[in-house]
Amino acid sequence: MTARVSALTLSAARALLGVAPDADERELRKAYREAAKRAHPDRPTGDAALFRDVLAAYRLLQDHPFQPTSFPPAVASAVPIADRVFLEIDIATAVAGGAEDLAIDGRRLRLKLPAGLREGDKVRVEGVMFEVRLRAQDGALVRGDDLWLTGKVDPRVLSEGGRVDADTPLGPRPAWISTKAAARGLVRLPGQGLPARAAHRAGDLFLRLEAAEAGAESPARSLLKRFAAAWAA
C-alpha cells in the first residue's frame, strides 16, 4: 500500500521529500529531484496530485531554510515533534487495515493501521498526529460507514439472479442476487461495509452490478488457469 502525507506545513513538507530539519540546499535539491522523478505524471507509477505536492513542498522549504544558532534559548519549552499531518490511504487499507512506512522530520515511522478507519479519523504515532484522508478509487466509494463497489457479474445473473462472486476493485465479493436486485442493478449486503471501530458502527456494502464483458475471466479464474498450465508443464 502507498500512503501520502499531504499538508503544507514545514513538518509535512520535510516528510514528503524525506529530508531532515537541518537539510541544506544541496540535500533539499537532491531530495526534490528524486521525489519529482518518482511522482512525475509521465512515469507509469506517476501521480499528478503527488507531483504538485512535491513541488509545493520544495518551494515551501526553499522559503524557510534551516537557520542554525550558536546560542541555546534561555528557557527550553516543549515543542511538538511535528504538526498534525494528513495521511492518505486507499480504500482497501480502510477496509482491512495494514502497515505504512513514512518519513517524518528525518525519522522513519512504521504505522500499523487498524481496519475500519474513516475519513477524518486520527492516529497518533510517536508524538505525530495523523488525520486520515481516503484516496479516491474508480469503482469504489466510501459514504460514512458504507462501502459502495462496482461489481462485474455474468450477464445471465442480471436477468435471472443467483449466487455470484462479483469482481470488484477490492477483490471478489460473494453475493446472492435476487431477480429484483438484478433488475435494478444494485444489491445491499448488510454489515459488509467498513468494519466497526471505536464509535463507528459496521457499515453496509452496496454492490452496483455491471455485466462482465463477453469472454472476460475473473482474476481468480485466470490465476487458476495459469496455475493449471504451470502444473501441466
Side-chain angles (χ1 to χ4, degrees):
M1 305 297 177
T2 303
R4 190 172 84 234
V5 177
S6 54
L8 290 180
T9 65
L10 292 177
S11 297
R14 296 188 196 105
L16 189 58
L17 297 185
V19 296
D22 59 350
D24 58 23
E25 175 60 27
R26 181 183 61 81
E27 293 172 324
L28 179 60
R29 185 166 53 251
K30 179 181 178 182
Y32 163 68
R33 288 174 177 171
E34 292 177 353
K37 183 178 180 180
R38 291 193 300 269
H40 199 283
D42 291 343
R43 294 176 63 88
T45 58
D47 184 309
L50 179 58
F51 183 78
R52 291 193 295 270
D53 288 349
V54 167
L55 178 59
Y58 178 56
R59 289 174 175 171
L60 179 64
L61 294 177
Q62 280 187 312
D63 293 338
H64 297 82
F66 175 69
Q67 298 291 340
T69 178
S70 301
F71 303 96
V75 178
S77 58
V79 178
I81 295 175
D83 300 321
R84 186 186 69 183
V85 293
F86 295 103
L87 176 69
E88 189 175 87
I89 63 175
D90 56 29
I91 294 177
T93 302
V95 172
E100 305 289 352
D101 293 315
L102 296 174
I104 297 291
D105 287 342
R107 299 175 303 152
R108 293 288 178 180
L109 298 181
R110 185 167 183 80
L111 280 64
K112 293 184 178 180
L113 304 176
L117 286 172
R118 270 68 164 177
E119 181 88 12
D121 280 358
K122 296 177 177 61
V123 180
R124 181 183 292 276
V125 179
E126 298 186 24
V128 183
M129 178 66 77
F130 296 93
E131 184 169 323
V132 174
R133 291 288 182 267
L134 298 183
R135 184 182 306 125
Q137 182 176 352
D138 289 342
L141 177 68
V142 171
R143 292 178 177 171
D145 301 316
D146 298 331
L147 178 63
W148 290 69
L149 297 178
T150 298
K152 301 288 186 179
V153 300
D154 189 315
R156 183 178 57 186
V157 174
L158 294 179
S159 59
E160 302 176 1
R163 187 188 183 283
V164 297
D165 286 320
D167 290 329
T168 79
L170 302 186
R173 295 280 170 155
W176 177 265
I177 300 174
S178 66
T179 53
K180 183 177 180 181
R184 67 171 181 261
L186 180 69
V187 61
R188 175 173 173 262
L189 304 175
Q192 295 190 34
L194 291 179
R197 177 181 176 272
H200 301 297
R201 68 171 183 84
D204 297 336
L205 169 60
F206 291 85
L207 190 60
R208 294 180 291 245
L209 306 175
E210 291 186 0
E213 296 180 5
E217 292 183 321
S218 70
R221 184 173 294 277
S222 297
L223 181 62
L224 181 61
K225 288 181 68 175
R226 289 199 299 270
F227 175 78
W231 181 264

